[in-house]
């Protein structure tokens, strides 16, 4: 008769009490994690399925489907991870993940497209600021001597 060395036990719905939950300091940490996971997945997707792979006159039907599958997977993974998370000592729930999604959508709508003229103006203003800092430093170095001579 053979003895079983191991036995498969399916995962229980309750978390094992011997393992601590992952502590997050605020719901913003969950939003940060969700945003970074989505950005990383988007980078990998851009490498695997470049947008230029389809002809210009044909709509790409494959890429949006893959993007939706990846987003669903990320959402499902985070939803399954929520019971193992504690935010400020409180159990995380699915509403926090929904809040993270809505705040990301709000953040994305606040950005303007890149404006090269505005960027050049900003660079010019920084150069002027550096010149002014240099001039103030020179005056601080020279002014006490000039005041002492006068």
């Amino acid at each position: 008769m053979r003895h079983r060395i191991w036995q498969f036990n399916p995962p229980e719905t309750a978390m094992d009490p011997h393992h601590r939950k992952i502590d997050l300091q605020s719901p913003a940490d969950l939003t940060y994690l969700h945003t970074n996971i989505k950005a990383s997945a988007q980078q990998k997707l851009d490498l695997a399925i470049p947008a230029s792979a389809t002809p210009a006159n044909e709509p790409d039907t494959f890429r949006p489907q893959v993007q939706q599958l990846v987003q669903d997977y990320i959402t499902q993974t985070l939803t399954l991870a929520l019971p193992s998370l504690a935010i400020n000592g409180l159990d995380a729930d699915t509403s926090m993940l929904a809040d993270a999604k809505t705040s990301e959508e709000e953040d994305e709508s606040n950005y303007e497209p890149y404006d090269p003229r505005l960027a050049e103006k900003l660079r010019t203003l920084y150069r002027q600021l550096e010149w002014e800092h240099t001039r103030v430093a020179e005056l601080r170095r020279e002014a006490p001597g000039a005041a002492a001579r006068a």
Side-chain angles (χ1 to χ4, degrees):
M1 175 179 235
R2 292 182 140 190
H3 295 285
R4 284 191 172 174
I5 297 173
W6 57 273
Q7 180 179 4
F8 175 72
N9 293 323
E12 299 176 9
T13 56
M15 197 176 94
D16 187 5
H18 300 290
H19 296 288
R20 292 181 49 201
K21 291 187 174 192
I22 299 170
D23 286 327
L24 300 177
Q25 297 300 316
S26 70
D29 292 343
L30 182 61
T31 304
Y32 174 79
L33 289 172
H34 193 230
T35 303
N36 280 351
I37 291 169
K38 284 178 63 175
S40 178
Q42 187 64 41
Q43 287 176 349
K44 297 292 183 183
L45 188 63
D46 291 342
L47 287 174
I49 308 171
S52 62
T54 60
N57 57 356
E58 292 181 22
D60 188 4
T61 58
F62 180 68
R63 184 178 171 89
Q65 290 175 351
V66 173
Q67 281 180 325
Q68 186 59 44
L69 287 172
V70 169
Q71 295 306 319
D72 292 344
Y73 176 76
I74 291 170
T75 303
Q76 180 185 15
T77 302
L78 287 176
T79 303
L80 292 173
L82 283 177
S84 298
L85 296 176
I87 299 178
N88 254 353
L90 302 173
D91 291 338
D93 60 354
T94 54
S95 66
M96 291 180 179
L97 189 58
D99 292 343
K101 286 183 198 175
T102 56
S103 65
E104 286 174 17
E105 292 167 1
E106 291 171 3
D107 288 345
E108 290 175 3
S109 65
N110 290 335
Y111 294 116
E112 295 181 8
Y114 180 76
D115 185 3
R117 289 177 295 179
L118 191 59
E120 182 58 36
K121 183 177 179 181
L122 182 65
R123 282 191 289 275
T124 303
L125 288 173
Y126 271 117
R127 278 194 298 267
Q128 183 180 357
L129 180 67
E130 281 295 316
W131 183 84
E132 294 292 339
H133 279 295
T134 305
R135 181 72 183 131
V136 167
E138 289 172 359
L139 287 174
R140 285 185 179 166
R141 193 174 37 243
E142 297 168 357
R149 281 178 273 171

